[in-house]
Amino acid sequence: MAGEQRAGGKGEAGDPPEAPVRVLQSLRVKICEAKNLLPYPGPNKMRDCFCTVNLDQEEIFRTTVVEKSLNPFYGEDFYFEIPRTFHNLSFYIYDKSLLQRDLRIGKVAIKREDLCRYYGKEPWFPLQPIDSNSEVQGKVHLELKLNELITDNGSVQQLMVHIVECEGLPLVNGQSCDPYASVSLVGPARIDQKKTKVKKKTSNPQFNEKFYFEVTRSSSYTKKSQFQVEEEDIEKLEVRVDLWNNGNLAQDVFLGEIRIPVRVLRSDSSHQAWYLLQPKDNGSKSSKYDDLGSLRLSICYTEDYVLPSDFYIPLKTLMVKSPDIQPITASAAFILGEICRDKNDAILPLVRLLLHHQKLVPFVTTIAQLDLNDNQEANTIFRGNSLATRCMDETMKIVGNHYLKVTLKNVIDEICESPKPCEIDPNRLREGDNIDNHKENLRHYVDKVFSCIVKSSMSCPTMMCDLFSSLRHMAVRHFPNDRHVQYSAVSSFVFLRFFAVAVVSPHIFHLRSHHPDTQTSRVLTLISKTIQTLGSVGSLSKNKTSSFKEPFMCDFYKMFEEETYTADVKKFLEEISSTESKEPSGMSESVILKEGEMYKRAQGRARMVKKSFNKRWFSLTSREFTYHKHKDKEPVFRIPIKSILAVEKLDESAFSKNNMFQVIYGDKPLYIHASNCVEANEWIEVLSRVSRRNHRRLSKYHPSAFINGTWLCCKASSESTEGCSPCTVGAPADVALDIDGDRECEKIYSLFSTNMSKLQTMEETCASMAVYQGPQEHSDCHFTIEDSVETFKSLQQIKAIVERLNEPHEKHKKGSTSAKYGSQENPIVGKGS
């Protein structure tokens, strides 16, 4: 799991034992659009621009290129677990170049501690100029010591500067750098400079070098030198440490600097601390931002402090028993949805936790009944954004991801990679367009997508079938005289809120890696609109063309033989809402789960060469893991999923490369180098997940490589020696076990804690209702309270649990912020004191 671990504080007697607290970071970011970008200097002022997402200076994602625009719209969403510590989240706008290096136009850089200010907002950020001397990250461990030496000519003050180590230096062009440090003693009329040795291919160099500088001369010193004795005022001296990446034949690259006044040694002759690297001259250069344009972003950064499992048992028990509470509106799960201003904050952890404990179907079924009780019109069943419909939406996203890929990925790929013209709006047609040909193209795509959907019932996940079955029977009981409601109850979800949304936004459902371009997006929108109407069986009593606002869509829809499509839809809906058992879904079909370009270490004779890495196209399906020389070529190497014994990270020391992992599948592992930390983490997780049920999985592995007859990690001389470290993934798991229940409980606790004032208001409303024997309305908050006594009980339990969990959280936060200034956990920022 992504994140880091920190020790928790000791509790009172009877508390759960002390255990590490997991700090888990995640980021959801939407790159919306840019505007007023700096024009290209020339007659054609337009640019072909793309945007990247960077953790510090490591690129994690990039958008597609928007051509010929100074106001590019991207509309791309990215979500990822952050697997390491970082200081800045940065966004770079590039101008794409075919012949030269892509030109960086400007950037937005946000410090990690400032990210929370933008949660849930979409502000415009001015682009800042990019100066290579300001692109810094990492920290330095330094020791200063002032010694007094007695010589024949008197006493001399000598300064010892000990460069111990650095941590978190940036990757340069995706590779670890070759760092060295220059150490200078700078005064009004002097500069003495020395250099460390270059450390090869590492972001965390261990220098451990000491340098000595004379600070003052003895009074009898007469030799001419580069400085005068009277100018040697210790108050004016400072130590400067500059970090550089050795460029060999190219120019050395500046990595950052620190400046420490020697006066820090006034009270103590020894000083040792960690310092954060700073930009050149501490970034003091003034720059104009207005001329470069701006970027609109939506940023949701979360940091979860996950306690050991025992702490969450009371909260977990309370949430999991929610489906059994009568009425359901008095349950803790329903109350969570009531108090959150943004329902989406509550839905995801709630759905995942109930899914983890196999309580989701009864909960969704019960709250769906509330929607039915408020609904008087069968044609609009489950069309709103209630707690029930949002829970269903999130459930289908989680459980139905593989189902979508099996059903739609191939046809969506075909449409996106070579879209045929499909515009049928007369107002959008260009001169020379043939609208009849466009209609035929669109009809072909709609038929292909529709056919994939209605033939996919055997691939529909069992949990979705169980939910559809419950909704179907509830709807029939509620509207006994409507013969179509049994279908509309299911089609409202599976067509309107699942397939149609996935078609129009395939990148959100991981069917495509990027948001489609404008032309393709328009084609997908037209297909989605038609699919929605073809699947809306519940409106048979009306003319379906009335569901279209545009006359041209009404005309297009008349091309379809409605009765034939309706029969196929009915059959499909009956199959996915049937309670009869069926074969495990999708197991006979091979679907691509993840693919991309990475480097692999040579498998054959060239394995003896340490630097032999080749770029390959990797593809993971539900059956095998393969790599290819090029994307569209046949695989040159295959590993059946059932043959994978372990998937683990590889130490940087093995090949002096970050972001490496290994797939162990037989006698020898396959070593792979990913482009960044997030990509490596995602490959490890998906490969581990698909191979988790394999019977011969290893319990131990070697975290480093076998090179020159020795395992670098444990120094064993036999390549067949059992691993020296326990594997991170062991026991088999299903969908429910893949969910981190403790993390979801932490999110729920955080929501309850943040909304404590609303819980208090709700509690007061319950008390008022109990006294006055009737419904009460609060001026600010409107809550659904059917049974004030039961709701009051749940509120009391929630508050007690939150108060109980507040204690270890406060202890942890106090412990994590009490680190001494200048320690590794809390390095000094700036020039020092």
Side-chain angles (χ1 to χ4, degrees), residues 530-819:
T530 314
I531 290 295
Q532 287 182 47
T533 306
L534 288 172
S536 58
V537 181
S539 58
L540 285 178
S541 56
K542 300 178 180 180
N543 184 354
K544 280 194 178 182
T545 55
S546 64
S547 64
F548 294 111
K549 297 177 181 178
E550 308 96 333
F552 64 86
M553 285 301 298
C554 295
D555 293 338
F556 173 68
Y557 187 76
K558 291 174 183 177
M559 296 177 65
F560 296 86
E561 185 65 39
E562 191 170 293
E563 291 184 4
T564 303
Y565 288 87
T566 298
D568 289 341
V569 169
K570 280 185 176 182
K571 181 175 179 292
F572 168 69
L573 295 176
E574 286 175 353
E575 289 171 347
I576 64 171
S577 60
S578 171
T579 55
E580 296 178 6
S581 61
K582 58 191 181 78
E583 292 297 318
S585 57
M587 297 305 292
S588 62
E589 300 173 75
S590 178
V591 59
I592 295 176
L593 303 176
K594 186 172 177 62
E595 56 185 351
E597 203 169 60
M598 295 186 289
Y599 290 83
K600 63 95 184 173
R601 190 192 181 212
Q603 293 282 93
R605 294 178 181 176
R607 288 181 70 252
M608 300 305 293
V609 183
K610 189 173 181 180
K611 295 183 180 180
S612 180
F613 280 82
N614 301 313
K615 184 187 291 187
R616 293 290 182 263
W617 181 264
F618 287 81
S619 178
L620 173 66
T621 72
S622 50
R623 292 179 180 174
E624 61 183 6
F625 181 50
T626 61
Y627 62 75
H628 317 237
K629 283 194 174 181
H630 302 286
K631 181 178 180 180
D632 299 323
K633 300 295 184 181
E634 287 297 309
V636 295
F637 191 78
R638 304 173 186 266
I639 304 176
I641 295 299
K642 62 183 180 182
S643 300
I644 295 178
L645 306 180
V647 184
E648 300 289 346
K649 291 182 179 179
L650 194 69
D651 283 354
E652 179 187 338
S653 60
F655 301 104
S656 299
K657 294 179 184 290
N658 283 328
N659 308 321
M660 284 198 67
F661 65 95
Q662 54 183 317
V663 179
I664 305 171
Y665 62 94
D667 296 335
K668 298 172 183 176
L670 173 63
Y671 297 128
I672 301 173
H673 181 215
S675 60
N676 59 63
C677 61
V678 172
E679 184 74 2
N681 195 56
E682 289 180 352
W683 273 106
I684 292 169
E685 286 195 0
V686 69
L687 282 163
S688 298
R689 190 162 60 245
V690 297
S691 62
R692 202 168 277 176
R693 291 184 178 276
N694 292 350
H695 297 298
R696 297 188 301 120
R697 281 194 66 90
L698 298 179
S699 59
K700 291 185 177 181
Y701 78 106
H702 290 284
S704 196
F706 187 79
I707 296 176
N708 297 329
T710 304
W711 285 106
L712 299 182
C713 44
C714 59
K715 307 306 179 185
S717 57
S718 172
E719 195 167 4
S720 60
T721 302
E722 184 185 21
C724 54
S725 295
C727 289
T728 55
V729 178
D734 55 19
V735 172
L737 294 178
D738 279 341
I739 294 170
D740 187 342
D742 292 341
R743 187 177 193 179
E744 306 312 327
C745 281
E746 172 60 27
K747 288 178 181 291
I748 290 170
Y749 152 76
S750 180
L751 291 169
F752 277 137
S753 180
T754 303
N755 291 282
M756 187 58 75
S757 61
K758 290 185 180 179
L759 291 173
Q760 184 65 39
T761 301
M762 200 172 185
E763 191 177 61
E764 292 169 359
T765 304
C766 288
S768 177
M769 290 174 66
V771 171
Y772 292 105
Q773 304 270 321
Q776 304 288 319
E777 279 197 0
H778 191 271
S779 58
D780 298 321
C781 304
H782 299 277
F783 304 113
T784 302
I785 302 175
E786 294 181 81
D787 187 323
S788 59
V789 176
E790 286 299 319
T791 304
F792 188 84
K793 287 180 182 178
S794 294
L795 289 166
Q796 290 272 292
Q797 290 175 299
I798 293 168
K799 288 176 64 178
I801 289 170
V802 170
E803 289 173 7
R804 174 77 170 166
L805 283 170
N806 281 342
E807 296 177 20
H809 279 89
E810 289 300 323
K811 286 182 179 179
H812 170 71
K813 289 177 182 177
K814 184 178 180 181
S816 63
T817 57
S818 61

Side-chain angles (χ1 to χ4, degrees), residues 145-149 156-160 212-215:
K145 195 169 185 179
L146 201 58
N147 301 314
E148 187 169 345
L149 300 180
V156 175
Q157 282 190 312
Q158 184 186 62
L159 178 68
M160 184 271 290
Y212 296 90
F213 300 90
E214 287 187 349
V215 175

